[in-house]
Amino acid sequence: MSFEWALLSFVIVAFGFLWMRTKKQLQSSREGTAMLTDIAAEQRDTLRHGLYQRFKRSGDSEKENPFEFEHFVAELLTVVNESDVYVTKATGDFGVDIEERREDGLYLYQVKCSEKPVGFETVAILHSRIVRDGAEGGCVVTTSAFTEAAADYAKAVDIELIDGDALLDMWEDALAYKKAAARELIPDAG
């Protein structure tokens, strides 16, 4: 009987040791995953801020081209949606920076290179243009985010919102599409 108790004690101690070891490994794995998630979030924040810095108005009128951001977004739309995209004229656009022609009709875009959240007014102005021009839809694109009022109004009038995170996703999709297209043209390209 004492051998059985000794064996049972050994099994209990061994199980306890393995359980504690597994628990520590799981905790370490969770901490590693959380750290990687934090790093990815920091990288995305840096990319969003980098886009803003790249396209913001500098105050130096000789070096500044305030329409570069509109052209950047237009290029992404052309690649991702495979559509005809037109950047509107610099003055008198009345709240529309980009017009996109798809098979199902006209879509209007307002783009904002900003660090501050885009408010309700931008969405409302775009909505009035969509109605006036009989467009199928529209979208506001920003390097930042949207206020709650802007998000609520956009949802009510079916306007798409592309914030800084979604813009990074669109940029990534466009780059992947271009890479795939290059591989089709040059099969040996990595």
Side-chain angles (χ1 to χ4, degrees):
M1 193 109 129
S2 68
F3 175 74
E4 294 170 347
W5 280 106
L7 183 60
L8 181 61
S9 296
F10 176 76
V11 169
I12 290 172
V13 170
F15 178 77
F17 174 76
L18 290 174
W19 181 76
M20 290 298 288
R21 184 175 168 196
T22 303
K23 185 177 175 183
K24 284 182 182 179
Q25 287 175 339
L26 182 60
Q27 179 65 27
S28 177
S29 176
R30 285 183 185 150
E31 289 171 0
T33 302
M35 189 173 76
L36 289 175
T37 301
D38 289 345
I39 290 170
E42 285 182 29
Q43 288 174 332
R44 290 184 69 81
D45 286 344
T46 300
L47 281 172
R48 274 193 312 274
H49 185 71
L51 277 178
Y52 168 73
Q53 290 296 323
R54 176 179 172 189
F55 294 113
K56 74 176 184 173
R57 293 181 181 241
S58 66
D60 184 352
S61 60
E62 290 185 22
K63 294 182 181 178
E64 180 178 295
N65 181 352
F67 305 106
E68 286 182 15
F69 185 58
E70 287 91 342
H71 287 279
F72 172 76
V73 173
E75 181 181 345
L76 295 180
L77 292 169
T78 300
V79 171
V80 172
N81 294 345
E82 298 182 10
S83 58
D84 294 324
V85 178
Y86 168 75
V87 177
T88 62
K89 61 185 178 177
T91 57
D93 64 13
F94 300 105
V96 173
D97 296 316
I98 299 170
E99 296 178 359
E100 178 184 28
R101 300 243 178 235
R102 300 182 193 169
E103 290 181 12
D104 62 336
L106 175 66
Y107 289 80
L108 304 177
Y109 290 79
Q110 173 63 257
V111 299
K112 296 287 185 188
C113 182
S114 175
E115 284 188 304
K116 297 178 183 176
V118 175
F120 161 84
E121 299 81 10
T122 300
V123 179
I125 290 169
L126 180 63
H127 178 248
S128 71
R129 280 294 305 271
I130 291 168
V131 171
R132 186 187 101 178
D133 294 356
E136 294 298 318
C139 179
V140 180
V141 181
T142 183
T143 53
S144 179
F146 295 93
T147 64
E148 187 176 337
D152 290 345
Y153 186 73
K155 185 176 180 180
V157 296
D158 199 28
I159 290 179
E160 183 181 2
L161 300 179
I162 296 178
D163 64 8
D165 281 329
L167 180 59
L168 290 178
D169 292 340
M170 182 192 279
W171 189 16
E172 188 176 339
D173 291 346
L175 292 173
Y177 181 85
K178 285 180 177 181
K179 189 174 183 178
R183 282 189 179 143
E184 287 182 21
L185 293 174
I186 309 169
D188 293 335

